[in-house]
Amino acid sequence: MFKKKPQIKNLSPLRSSDRRKLADQIIADYKVHVPTLQEIDPAAVAAEGQASISNPTPALSSVRTSLVPETCLSARFTTHAGPSSTLVSGTVYVGAHPGQEERILWIQYGKDARLYPTVYTLWHNPGIVPLLHTPDFVVEKLRSGADLMTPGLVGGPPWPENAKEGSVIAVAGLEKLSVPIWVGICKIDVSSLGRVQGSKGAAVEGVHWEGDEIWNWSQTGSGGRAPPERIEDWEPAVESVKEGVRELNVDDNDEDDAHEEGGVALEPSDDAVQHGAEANGSNGVHEDAAEPEHEPSTAEVDEAFVKAFIYAIYNAKQDSDPPHYGMDFPLQPSFVVANMIQPHLRFQNQHYTIKKTSWKNTKKFIKHLDKTALVKSKDRNGGETVILDIDFDDEQIRTFTPYKLPKPKTTSTSTNGSAQATHGSGDPSLGQKLTLQTVYRASSKLVPDLIPSKTTFYTSSQISAFLKKYIENNPSLTTGTSSPRFVKLDSFIANNILSSNSSASDTRTLAIGEIARDALLKRILEDSHLCLPHWLLLRNGQTYDADNPDPSLKPKSGPPPHVNIVLEKRTGTKVVTRISGLELFGINPHLLGPELQKKCAGSASVGQLVGGKPGMMEVLVQGDHSDVVEKEVGRRGVDKRWAIVDDKTKKKKK
C-alpha cells in the first residue's frame, strides 16, 4: 500500500490517557496476553487470596509500553494507493523502543478503526499476529506491491488457527523463518485450508512490508532499519513449518508465474511457444506420433528435450551452410525453447514441458548442454544464460536419426496464402493498418487573413495551399525579390507571423525584408502560438477530411502516442520487460500478454499501469524481450518510430 511516499503532517505527542486507551484497544483487538499475578507470583496469590488473581499487575503497564511507547507521537497522513491511485488518509503512530530510533509503529487508515502493526512492532512484540511463510522469491514479488496468492503459502497444513478471513497476519521468508517482513489482511480463511498446490486466488492482501515508504520513514532521514537475523520469541510459531521447509526446493520454482504490480499471472499453456520459425525440415515427417500410454518419467522428459535440441541442430545442418548453419549467435533462451525445442519434441502434451524436466528452467537446461560440451554458454543480461556456440560436429549430432514428429497445430490460411496460428485469430488488432496524422488548429493571428477558421483542423498540405493562395492574391509579395522562391514581408507576415516569436532568426528576417516560401510555411507549422498541432490515429485506410470531418475522428492535442517498452532489473539481477501505451493503438493488453508469454517462453502478467489512468494496463514479461515486443506490436500496426525502448539496466554514463 505504501509504495508511494505518504505526506505526513506535523507530529504531536499523545496524552498519557490516550496512549493507555490506544494500547488497551490493541490488546483487545489482537488478544494480547497480559500475565496475571498468579502467573507472575503464585506465592503472592496464596498469601493474599483468590481475589488478587484478577487485579491489574505491573505486567499490564509493561505490555502497554511495549506496544505503544511512553513517548509515542501521532500524525495524520495522506497517500495514493491501489491500481486506481485512490487517495487514502489516516494516522500513523511513531515511537521508539529502548535503545532504538523513532519509527512508525502503528498505522490506521480509512474508515477502519483497527490499527495495523508495522514490522518494527512485530520485531519487538512476537506472537501478536499469526505468522505465515512463503518462499523468498515470492517475498521479492510481495515487496513490489503484489498480494500473496494461495499457492505461495508453505509450511501447512495445519495453518495458524487465528489466520481467518479479515484477520491481520505477518509473513516471513524461508531464509529467516522467525523474522516477519510483510503485513497483510487475510482475504480467505487460511486456517481451514488443506494443501494449497493447485489452488487459485489471493490469500492475503498486502498493507505494509519491509522496504516500503513506511519502513523507510524516520525523522532523521536515515532510512529503514535492516531486519534482525532471527527473533527467538517467534521461534515457537515456526517449529511446525520447519520440517516442510527443509523439503522445499526453492530453486525449482524460480520461474513460477508470480503476480507483479497487482497484475494477474497468466495461466501457462500446455502447448506454449508452438510458433516461431519453421523448424521441421525435409527430414522430419509430420505424422501422428503415438501418445505415451502413461505419464513419462523425469528421465524420459529430459531425454526428449535433449533429442529435440539435437534434432533442431541436425535440421539446421541439412538446410543451411557452415560455419553457423543459419544460426545467429548468441541464442537467447526464449529462442532455444520456441524455435528449437518445442517444434522438435516427439510428443506435444502437458507432460513434456520444461517444468517436468529435472532442470525445471531453461537456464539450467542450457548449463547441462554446456557440461556435455555440446554448446558453449555464458551468463548475460542480468543472469540470463545464452548459447555462444554449438559443436556441430559432435558425435550426438553426426549419429542422430530423425524420428516422426506430430502434426502441427491446426492453422487457418489467410487470403494471401500465409498460415496464421489459431491463437492469434481472435485478436482484432493483428494485421491492422495504422497511420498517425498531424492536423493543426490555427490561432486568431492567422484568421481570417490566411486561414478561414480557427475551430477547424487542417492538414499541413491544406495550410500550404492557404499560404500559396494568399501569395497569389497579393502580387506585390513576389515583385522585386532576390529569387522566385522568396516573398516580401508585408504587415500581416511581419506583425502576425514573425512577431509571435522574438528569435534571432526572425529578427534577421525582418531586417532583410523577405523570406523563403518553404521557410515561411515551416515557421507557421512549427510555432504552437500560430498553429497548435493535434494528432489522429487512422485505422485501416481511414482518411481525415477537414471539410467534412468524421465525428468519430476527434483530433487530440499533445505529443503523438507511443508504446513504451521499458527494461529494468527486479530483485537485484533479473530483467523484466514492461509494455504500456497499448490501448491507444487499439491493442488489448489481455490478448497481447498470453501471446508474449508464448513467444518469449516465460511468464507474463497484465496489471494496472502504475501512475496511469484507471483502466490503462501494463504487460510485464520476465526477461529482456524488447525485440520480440517490437515485432509483435509491429504485427499490430505499430511503426518502429512509435515504439520507444528505455533500457534502465544499463549503467548511466557519468
Side-chain angles (χ1 to χ4, degrees), residues 72-344:
C72 188
L73 308 170
S74 68
R76 296 288 296 173
F77 77 89
T78 57
T79 189
H80 289 83
S84 301
S85 294
T86 305
L87 181 64
V88 177
S89 61
T91 305
V92 292
Y93 295 91
V94 177
H97 291 117
Q100 298 176 353
E101 72 278 18
E102 289 182 331
R103 293 291 178 184
I104 296 176
L105 304 179
W106 296 91
I107 311 162
Q108 182 275 325
Y109 64 90
K111 297 181 180 179
D112 190 356
R114 177 168 49 183
L115 289 103
Y116 297 90
T118 67
V119 291
Y120 296 117
T121 295
L122 297 180
W123 297 344
H124 199 74
N125 297 271
I128 65 172
V129 296
L131 183 61
L132 301 177
H133 293 83
T134 192
D136 292 293
F137 76 91
V138 176
V139 171
E140 297 302 324
K141 307 297 183 183
L142 298 181
R143 286 194 175 108
S144 69
D147 293 339
L148 176 59
M149 311 308 288
T150 304
L153 297 170
V154 297
W159 308 99
E161 60 181 13
N162 293 333
K164 299 184 180 296
E165 184 176 359
S167 63
V168 179
I169 60 94
V171 175
L174 300 184
E175 184 178 354
K176 298 180 180 180
L177 287 168
S178 61
V179 183
I181 54 176
W182 196 79
V183 180
I185 308 170
C186 285
K187 302 181 71 173
I188 61 173
D189 186 357
V190 175
S191 63
S192 63
L193 290 175
R195 294 184 62 85
V196 297
Q197 285 78 5
S199 301
K200 294 183 179 181
V204 187
E205 179 182 359
V207 174
H208 153 72
W209 53 87
E210 178 257 325
D212 70 2
E213 292 295 340
I214 288 293
W215 167 86
N216 191 57
W217 181 91
S218 72
Q219 292 207 69
T220 60
S222 58
R225 190 170 75 242
E229 291 299 315
R230 62 188 294 267
I231 302 175
E232 291 186 4
D233 291 338
W234 274 105
E235 292 290 346
V238 303
E239 287 299 326
S240 61
V241 302
K242 282 186 176 180
E243 187 63 31
V245 168
R246 292 191 190 101
E247 300 175 358
L248 183 65
N249 187 348
V250 179
D251 289 338
D252 289 349
N253 298 291
D254 58 2
E255 291 188 359
D256 283 356
D257 295 338
H259 292 238
E260 298 239 13
E261 302 288 349
V264 181
L266 302 169
E267 290 295 330
S269 169
D270 293 337
D271 300 310
V273 294
Q274 289 296 326
H275 40 282
E278 183 66 29
N280 297 304
S282 56
N283 294 297
V285 182
H286 291 298
E287 297 183 5
D288 287 325
E291 292 293 323
E293 297 180 356
H294 63 281
E295 183 175 344
S297 64
T298 302
E300 290 174 324
V301 180
D302 286 355
E303 182 185 9
F305 267 68
V306 174
K307 290 291 185 183
F309 182 78
I310 294 173
Y311 201 158
I313 303 172
Y314 177 87
N315 272 346
K317 291 188 66 175
Q318 302 299 315
D319 299 337
S320 303
D321 298 324
H324 298 307
Y325 298 99
M327 293 190 179
D328 186 14
F329 294 101
L331 302 181
Q332 300 294 329
S334 58
F335 176 87
V336 172
V337 173
N339 296 345
M340 300 181 73
I341 303 298
Q342 290 292 339
H344 296 89

Side-chain angles (χ1 to χ4, degrees), residues 42 80 127 140 173 176 274 317 371 426 439 449 461 491 498 536 609 620:
H80 289 83
E140 297 302 324
K176 298 180 180 180
Q274 289 296 326
K317 291 188 66 175
K371 289 181 180 179
V439 293
D449 300 82
S461 60
S491 58
L498 299 181
L536 280 168
L609 174 62
L620 187 144

Side-chain angles (χ1 to χ4, degrees), residues 34-38 40 52-62 64:
V34 180
T36 62
L37 184 60
Q38 186 178 28
I40 298 173
S52 63
I53 294 178
S54 59
N55 290 341
T57 67
L60 177 59
S61 177
S62 176
R64 285 172 173 169

Side-chain angles (χ1 to χ4, degrees), residues 136-137 139-141 143-144 260 380-384 567-576 622 648-651:
D136 292 293
F137 76 91
V139 171
E140 297 302 324
K141 307 297 183 183
R143 286 194 175 108
S144 69
E260 298 239 13
R380 292 176 60 182
N381 294 333
E384 193 173 55
L567 304 176
E568 63 182 20
K569 288 186 178 180
R570 294 284 181 87
T571 66
T573 58
K574 289 190 176 181
V575 177
V576 297
Q622 300 292 335
K648 295 184 178 180
T649 62
K650 296 181 179 179
K651 293 183 178 179

